Amino acid sequence: MILTNNILLREQNTVLWVEGDQVDVLKKARDLIHRGHRLLTSPLAASGRMHFSPVRSILLTDEAEQPEEDSILAIENSLQLLETSLAVHRVDYKNKDDYGFIDNELLTQALNEINELDARYQQIGGNQFETGKTQG
């Protein structure tokens, strides 16, 4: 599933829309991860400058299973790091459209890589790469 507040992605049928900023997206991801969804992409931005973006998209598994310690630790640490960073710097709402474009490009690349890994895994006889079959 795609968890996002990026307006460019709002109409996609695989999107779970989050009203708010990037902290709200991470908090929603945290809640889902504690219910058993796993992270497929990093909850942190691609670069330090992107920490100031109000836009964030995160890929999670579609199906909830048992909560996974690695995903829980990653989202909790990411949320704490983001909140610490935002206590010092301001969110850059002025360039929100540009951040939305960049976020969309990064998400597209992540989906392509996951699909490529899934295809390779299938070629070697695997049943399913651990992506939760997220489609973009």
Side-chain angles (χ1 to χ4, degrees), residues 84-135:
T84 300
S85 176
L86 292 177
V88 178
H89 301 337
R90 294 180 186 222
V91 176
D92 182 7
Y93 289 100
K94 179 179 148 191
N95 295 302
K96 185 176 181 177
D97 291 343
D98 293 333
Y99 285 122
F101 175 79
I102 294 167
D103 177 75
N104 187 41
E105 290 297 310
L106 292 170
L107 178 67
T108 299
Q109 184 62 37
L111 286 167
N112 289 340
E113 288 176 15
I114 286 171
N115 289 333
E116 183 179 315
L117 287 171
D118 189 44
R120 286 183 188 175
Y121 190 75
Q122 296 300 322
Q123 285 178 341
I124 62 170
N127 292 331
Q128 175 184 344
F129 180 68
E130 295 182 23
T131 63
K133 295 293 183 185
T134 299
Q135 300 295 314

Side-chain angles (χ1 to χ4, degrees), residues 4-13 15-17 19:
T4 190
N5 68 342
N6 188 339
I7 195 73
L8 297 175
L9 303 168
R10 187 175 194 165
E11 300 303 318
Q12 291 187 19
N13 60 357
V15 164
L16 181 57
W17 179 255
E19 200 65 49

Side-chain angles (χ1 to χ4, degrees), residues 6-34:
N6 188 339
I7 195 73
L8 297 175
L9 303 168
R10 187 175 194 165
E11 300 303 318
Q12 291 187 19
N13 60 357
T14 57
V15 164
L16 181 57
W17 179 255
V18 177
E19 200 65 49
D21 63 14
Q22 75 278 38
V23 173
D24 297 309
V25 174
L26 265 67
K27 286 180 178 179
K28 181 65 175 178
R30 178 196 57 201
D31 295 347
L32 291 168
I33 289 166
H34 280 281

